[in-house]
């Protein structure tokens, strides 16, 4: 397990993403700094059977965006904790 920081640079984040794919990892969790900069890495990840979970939407042909309501989830969590 490794945590990589992008230091507010999409270019650094893309480079780290590619390095992780090449290192043979199985899963990447991504807080994307761009909605389109990672499309070629998504293609490579798909070809190498690497699962990529992005916390922000990405608009690439081979990416599936699943969204949830952060406010509703936070409310439900707070309500459950209050009980």
């Amino acid at each position: 397990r490794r945590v990589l920081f992008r230091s507010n640079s999409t270019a650094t984040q893309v480079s780290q993403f590619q390095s992780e794919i090449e290192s043979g990892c199985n899963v990447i969790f991504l807080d994307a700094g761009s909605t389109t900069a990672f499309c070629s890495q998504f293609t490579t990840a798909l070809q190498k059977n690497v699962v990529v979970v992005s916390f922000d939407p990405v608009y690439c042909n081979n990416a599936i965006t699943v969204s949830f309501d952060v406010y509703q989830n936070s409310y439900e969590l707070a309500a459950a904790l209050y009980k």
Side-chain angles (χ1 to χ4, degrees), residues 44-61:
T44 303
L46 182 64
Q47 292 168 347
K48 295 190 176 211
N49 296 316
V50 177
V51 174
V52 179
V53 178
S54 177
F55 296 108
D56 294 313
V58 289
Y59 303 110
C60 304
N61 290 336

Side-chain angles (χ1 to χ4, degrees), residues 55-76:
F55 296 108
D56 294 313
V58 289
Y59 303 110
C60 304
N61 290 336
N62 52 2
I64 299 170
T65 299
V66 179
S67 182
F68 64 93
D69 186 338
V70 173
Y71 299 107
Q72 181 64 32
N73 288 352
S74 297
Y75 174 81
E76 291 171 5

Side-chain angles (χ1 to χ4, degrees), residues 14-71:
V14 167
S15 175
Q16 290 173 335
F17 189 147
Q18 187 64 41
S19 293
E20 288 304 305
I21 293 169
E22 291 170 3
S23 75
C25 73
N26 297 315
V27 179
I28 296 173
F29 289 90
L30 175 68
D31 187 7
S34 167
T35 57
T36 57
F38 302 94
C39 293
S40 66
Q41 283 73 32
F42 270 86
T43 299
T44 303
L46 182 64
Q47 292 168 347
K48 295 190 176 211
N49 296 316
V50 177
V51 174
V52 179
V53 178
S54 177
F55 296 108
D56 294 313
V58 289
Y59 303 110
C60 304
N61 290 336
N62 52 2
I64 299 170
T65 299
V66 179
S67 182
F68 64 93
D69 186 338
V70 173
Y71 299 107

